[in-house]
């Protein structure tokens, strides 16, 4: 049996919610379906291959106009399904600042 590692309660969608993944720099875009979501992340079924895409950080577009979106990082891949963690404003700055402080301690 798999160990549950999720931090938050999930909402599962019976038919999924149509969405799009887009590179931070806008150079790539893929259609996807959001299968479930929580406060901290989501499970997506991706249309087409994710091979070769920069999934370290990307946008999950939840509206056709791009006004509703979340900044994401890849958590796991299983076939055509991926897990993503939502990044909060300032998450990358905090990680960079911590690394800089650790380097200064050395």
């Amino acid at each position: 049996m798999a160990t549950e590692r999720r931090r938050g309660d999930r909402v599962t969608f019976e038919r999924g919610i149509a969405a799009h993944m887009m590179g931070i720099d806008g150079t790539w875009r893929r259609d996807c379906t959001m299968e479930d979501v929580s406060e901290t992340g989501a499970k997506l079924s991706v249309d087409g291959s994710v091979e070769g895409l920069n999934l370290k950080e990307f946008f999950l577009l939840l509206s056709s106009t791009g006004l509703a979106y979340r900044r994401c990082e890849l958590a796991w891949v299983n076939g055509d399904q991926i897990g993503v963690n939502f990044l909060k404003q300032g998450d990358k700055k905090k990680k960079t600042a911590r690394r800089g402080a650790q380097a200064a301690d050395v």
Side-chain angles (χ1 to χ4, degrees):
M1 220 160 54
T3 303
E4 184 64 49
R5 294 181 294 175
R6 295 177 182 152
R7 286 181 256 162
D9 291 336
R10 293 266 163 167
V11 175
T12 301
F13 303 108
E14 188 174 319
R15 295 189 181 127
I17 303 291
H20 307 279
M21 298 165 51
M22 184 177 76
I24 292 291
D25 59 1
T27 58
W28 61 268
R29 185 173 171 140
R30 290 285 185 280
D31 292 334
C32 65
T33 303
M34 187 165 46
E35 303 292 339
D36 68 29
V37 67
S38 75
E39 187 177 328
T40 59
K43 178 169 66 172
L44 309 174
S45 292
V46 182
D47 295 345
S49 174
V50 295
E51 192 170 329
L53 299 180
N54 181 7
L55 294 174
K56 182 168 178 72
E57 195 170 331
F58 61 94
F59 290 113
L60 176 61
L61 307 175
L62 302 168
S63 70
S64 59
T65 59
L67 294 176
Y69 65 91
R70 293 298 302 259
R71 198 170 189 140
C72 302
E73 66 181 356
L74 182 67
W76 54 265
V77 177
N78 185 7
D80 68 343
Q81 292 188 327
I82 65 171
V84 299
N85 293 321
F86 296 142
L87 298 173
K88 294 179 184 157
Q89 191 70 25
D91 275 359
K92 288 295 175 187
K93 291 178 190 172
K94 287 178 190 171
K95 288 179 183 176
T96 303
R98 269 189 258 137
R99 284 189 198 121
Q102 288 172 346
D105 290 340
V106 175

